[in-house]
Amino acid sequence: MSMIKTNNARPVLGTLAVLGYIIMIVPILFVVSTAFSTGRTVSFPPKGFTLDWFGAALGNNTFMSSLGQSLQLALIATVIALAIGVPATIAMHRGKIPGKSLVQGLFLSPLVVPELVVGLALYQQIMVVLGQSNSIALLIGHTAILLPYAVRVTGASLALADPAIEEAARGLGASPLRAFFTVTLPLLRPGIFSAALLSFVTSFNNVPLSLLLQDRSFRTLPVTMLDYIQQNYDPTIAAMSTLLLAATVVVAIIAERTVGFAKIFGGINK
Amino acid sequence: MSRKPAWLLLPGLVFILLGFAIPSVAMLIAPPGVSTGDVFARLGQMLTDPYSLGIIGRTLGLGLITTATCLVLGFPIAYLLARSTSRFAGMWLALAIFPLLLSNVVRTFGWIVLLGSQGAIGQLITGLGLASEAPQLLYTELAVVLGMTQLFLPLAIISCYSAVAQVDPGLDDAARGLGASRTRTLWTVVLPLSAPGLVVATTLVFAGAATAYTTPYLLGGSSQRMLATELYNYSNVTVDWASASATALIMTLLVFLVSGLSSLLSRGKSVQS
């Protein structure tokens, strides 16, 4: 097998890398430029400069009420996922559990099944068969898809924490509960924080579950925006998107300053 | 050693079983008002009728093209960043990961701005006199592949990055010292040793692309139907439970199939070498 004997790998790699960054970033920049355009439809080049579309987005009741519902859902689902996920992770890592890998697999299983399929299952079985409201189904679904993050990310930082430290605390006379709260939990804090951040963002941005489980009374922001894009062609949606972008940048800066970006996302692929 | 009691697992276990596992199985064997037989009869029908086969084929095809594109663009980014000594490398890595935090809807909407009839690319083409009329870009396969590449490229970059970072740069130097060109070193040393990362990237990107709803819905329109948009229509528009459950099963199997094949393929490779 003859390989081309050149030292020209860098230019080729560089070109592909630049193309990759263009595909990832440029469309986002166009959304932002559209948000400030005075044109009545989404068009290029943007005409003039106005902040009116931001007013329109913030004054849009449908956007604002679904924003509130999205935030609420993401917050509650994150809290529940951590409240049941963190103890489970501790038990899996530090306890003696029969069929441990099976249990672990079960906790990670929502990551393997497509989210639309989870959404369909919950729509059929919880809403149609059991007659529950869509907010209950949404809360169950969002919590289920967040659990694997809670288990994996806190698991990764638990694996780094030395169990001997907790034993030392016990040896010095601390009760199991006290040893846990004063020694183990602080060690887990970065992991729990990463899991919480990742969970909140994942739930807030989720489309597949929120789409299948939507209802007039409770609809999340991404689903509302999807609908709006399909029916309207004005820059209000670009303004709303720009506001979300700004909020996401803030979240990213917080993530980078506290635990570091790469660490948070490194947890997903381990 | 202090053992943690197993009951700490209980709430999570009950939740996963009641809120996820049981509904998922029940969806297949007992959709409301339909029998298990109906679901599997519909499944058999879908695997033979040209309309559904077309949808499955498009989902598989566009999913694979997107996966290939993400690997071809993502691996170079991961490789250059992992081997970079620049102090800006961290910033570039963060820029590649950042889009994962941003809503898919926002990211996909950008392509409407770029590819729409009044969009930047169409304006550029007519402005340069390359065509008298802006070509139809939105609602094409190209639009869907671009949109999905944008969404899933960060996943490919992260998986490849952690794999390349684990390959000792000393091996690159050794191969180069023995006279291999940079290209050859990349193909015969770095790439085979990063195979596990490529498998993870393939699995994640294909799973995302084959089940993505936002992209085919916004950028594919009615001419580029995929399994995800069909599933939504069966479930929430026509309320055809047998078809919805059958589509869900096909979608899940497709994802399992590709992820299984890609890890088999890499295992075969590493045995050979």
Side-chain angles (χ1 to χ4, degrees):
Chain A
M1 203 163 63
S2 75
M3 285 282 169
I4 316 148
K5 268 232 169 185
T6 54
N7 282 338
N8 291 340
R10 291 258 156 180
V12 177
L13 292 181
T15 311
L16 291 171
V18 169
L19 193 61
Y21 274 102
I22 290 176
I23 290 178
M24 284 191 289
I25 305 297
V26 168
I28 301 171
L29 301 180
F30 274 88
V31 172
V32 176
S33 76
T34 308
F36 297 97
S37 163
T38 50
R40 295 209 57 80
T41 59
V42 172
S43 63
F44 191 84
K47 304 171 194 72
F49 179 89
T50 178
L51 292 175
D52 290 356
W53 301 113
F54 288 92
L58 293 171
N60 185 314
N61 284 333
T62 325
F63 281 172
M64 289 305 117
S65 72
S66 57
L67 171 65
Q69 289 174 332
S70 279
L71 290 172
Q72 232 178 338
L73 176 62
L75 189 69
I76 301 174
T78 300
V79 169
I80 298 178
L82 288 173
I84 61 182
V86 174
T89 315
I90 292 172
M92 273 187 274
H93 276 77
R94 298 279 160 88
K96 215 183 173 83
I97 287 153
K100 190 167 152 181
S101 58
L102 187 77
V103 172
Q104 226 154 7
L106 198 62
F107 271 92
L108 297 180
S109 56
L111 216 54
V112 185
V113 178
E115 287 177 15
L116 268 177
V117 175
V118 181
L120 175 67
L122 296 177
Y123 182 32
Q124 267 188 10
Q125 302 299 325
I126 309 270
M127 283 171 72
V128 178
V129 175
L130 298 180
Q132 296 299 313
S133 75
N134 81 312
S135 45
I136 297 284
L138 272 170
L139 189 57
I140 293 175
H142 278 236
T143 307
I145 60 159
L146 299 186
L147 259 179
Y149 293 102
V151 170
R152 269 197 185 183
V153 181
T154 45
S157 71
L158 195 60
L160 294 174
D162 187 353
I165 306 175
E166 195 180 323
E167 277 159 40
R170 294 288 314 280
L172 292 169
S175 67
L177 217 57
R178 180 155 182 198
F180 173 73
F181 277 104
T182 55
V183 179
T184 311
L185 202 60
L187 286 171
L188 285 184
R189 204 177 286 148
I192 292 176
F193 181 78
S194 304
L197 197 111
L198 203 57
S199 299
F200 186 85
V201 172
T202 304
S203 165
F204 185 83
N205 288 334
N206 183 280
V207 170
L209 279 175
S210 305
L211 179 84
L212 284 173
L213 302 172
Q214 65 175 303
D215 189 89
R216 265 195 208 91
S217 63
F218 198 105
R219 185 182 272 178
T220 67
L221 185 62
V223 176
T224 304
M225 288 173 70
L226 269 183
D227 260 19
Y228 191 91
I229 295 174
Q230 212 55 345
Q231 284 155 19
N232 304 272
Y233 208 56
D234 68 52
T236 310
I237 200 78
M240 193 64 226
S241 298
T242 304
L243 292 172
L244 283 183
L245 174 67
T248 310
V249 169
V250 172
V251 170
I253 291 172
I254 294 174
E256 181 64 23
R257 288 281 157 86
T258 48
V259 267
F261 238 32
K263 264 193 189 154
I264 293 185
F265 284 93
I268 309 176
N269 293 310
K270 259 175 200 153
Chain B
M1 231 188 114
S2 69
R3 287 291 185 193
K4 294 293 173 232
W7 59 259
L8 285 171
L9 265 180
L10 215 59
L13 215 48
V14 169
F15 183 88
I16 285 279
L17 286 174
L18 293 181
F20 169 74
I22 294 172
S24 299
V25 175
M27 170 197 72
L28 285 181
I29 57 173
V34 203
S35 74
T36 313
D38 293 337
V39 175
F40 287 91
R42 189 71 185 93
L43 179 70
Q45 222 173 45
M46 282 180 169
L47 293 174
T48 48
D49 89 79
Y51 174 79
S52 306
L53 280 178
I55 305 266
I56 297 170
R58 181 179 295 116
T59 306
L60 180 66
L62 296 184
L64 289 177
I65 295 173
T66 303
T67 308
T69 312
C70 284
L71 289 180
V72 168
L73 300 177
F75 186 83
I77 293 178
Y79 174 76
L80 292 175
L81 291 180
R83 288 289 185 261
S84 169
T85 47
S86 157
R87 60 200 176 95
F88 297 112
M91 196 201 77
W92 283 103
L93 185 63
L95 189 66
I97 299 175
F98 170 75
L100 281 182
L101 293 174
L102 187 61
S103 162
N104 285 0
V105 179
V106 172
R107 290 193 278 162
T108 307
F109 176 65
W111 291 105
I112 297 184
V113 179
L114 273 167
L115 302 175
S117 52
Q118 303 285 306
I121 293 182
Q123 300 287 317
L124 192 73
I125 289 174
T126 49
L128 289 173
L130 295 173
S132 55
E133 222 175 299
Q136 176 69 41
L137 295 167
L138 209 54
Y139 313 128
T140 61
E141 279 96 349
L142 178 72
V144 176
V145 169
L146 280 172
M148 296 201 298
T149 301
Q150 179 202 25
L151 292 191
F152 305 118
L153 188 51
L155 296 178
I157 296 173
I158 298 174
S159 335
C160 293
Y161 180 86
S162 42
V164 177
Q166 277 163 13
V167 177
D168 184 354
L171 291 175
D172 299 28
D173 297 339
R176 303 267 291 131
L178 291 169
S181 68
R182 197 165 276 185
T183 315
R184 183 160 183 187
T185 306
L186 191 61
W187 278 102
T188 57
V189 178
V190 185
L191 211 54
L193 288 173
S194 332
L198 296 176
V199 173
V200 174
T202 303
T203 305
L204 290 177
V205 173
F206 184 80
T211 65
Y213 177 86
T214 311
T215 322
Y217 177 69
L218 288 183
L219 306 180
S222 54
S223 54
Q224 303 296 333
R225 291 174 200 272
M226 289 172 70
L227 283 174
T229 47
E230 289 296 288
L231 191 150
Y232 174 76
N233 278 336
Y234 286 135
S235 151
N236 290 42
V237 183
T238 59
V239 197
D240 172 356
W241 294 123
S243 301
S245 293
T247 309
L249 190 58
I250 294 174
M251 191 190 243
T252 312
L253 290 178
L254 204 60
V255 170
F256 283 8
L257 191 75
V258 170
S259 88
L261 278 180
S262 80
S263 61
L264 261 179
L265 212 67
S266 92
R267 213 167 291 160
K269 271 252 172 69
S270 60
V271 168
Q272 265 173 26
S273 56

